[in-house]
Amino acid sequence: MLVVGATGGVGSIVVQLGKAAGATVVAPALPEDEEFLRGLGVDEVLPREGDLITAVRERYPNGVDALVDVVTPYQPTPFDAVLADGGRIASPTNAAGEGPGRTNVMHAATRESLDRIAQLLADGTVKVPIQQTFELPQAPEALGALAAGHTQGKLALRVA
Ligand SMILES: NC(=O)c1ccc[n+]([C@@H]2O[C@H](COP(=O)([O-])OP(=O)(O)OC[C@H]3O[C@@H](n4cnc5c(N)ncnc54)[C@H](OP(=O)(O)O)[C@@H]3O)[C@@H](O)[C@H]2O)c1
């Protein structure tokens, strides 16, 4: 499973869910993020700069079975060129396109999905990586950091 955008808030959870499902997880990332990603279970980190499609195809000539793209904004992902025949794509940024095996994920919690993620959190399968926690009065600072900075996992706001 290739995860593009693995370092961020969504991707850092996606890679853990991939590992829990038994996938070999591959992610393009910055060198300084490699240790963080390996700590989440990422099996292989590829350079983020350069031609990702060529890099993946050289490493996996038959392509990858699954792609999660959390960075391509609201247009079909160019990275589907790395998919193996029958491979699947999911994206929270509407980058999956349309058709069989393509899923644009929208936040829509159900009791069933919340129960499932609660269990994965409770048993330690999934952790929520928090780079920094801000107190409520620091909310503007937190938003500024979110907009301007490169975050490993999530920034948190303490409300109680
Ligand atoms: N559909 C939904 O319900 C839903 C729910 C939540 C989020 N979203 C959307 O999902 C997207 C991701 O959210 P997020 O909270 O995870 O954002 P985020 O924390 O900013 O994570 C995105 C990550 O991707 C990295 N990145 C950017 N370009 C890359 C590339 N070419 N290769 C590898 N990594 C790259 C970013 O690095 P830099 O920091 O260096 O840019 C960042 O670490 C956002 O567009 C958000 O609006 C949708």
Side-chain angles (χ1 to χ4, degrees), residues 4-5 7-11 28 30 48 70-71 92-93 105-107 149-151 153:
V4 184
T7 305
V10 174
L30 301 172
R48 173 170 150 176
V70 312
V71 305
T93 56
V105 181
M106 293 309 295
H107 171 70
H150 176 75
T151 304

Side-chain angles (χ1 to χ4, degrees), residues 3-12 27-30 33 46-49 52 69-74 79 91-94 104-108 146 148-155:
V3 182
V4 184
T7 305
V10 174
S12 60
L30 301 172
D33 293 329
L46 298 175
R48 173 170 150 176
E49 307 305 331
L52 176 63
D69 184 341
V70 312
V71 305
T72 303
Y74 303 99
F79 304 122
S91 172
T93 56
N94 213 25
N104 289 300
V105 181
M106 293 309 295
H107 171 70
L146 193 62
H150 176 75
T151 304
Q152 291 181 340
K154 293 183 181 290
L155 301 179

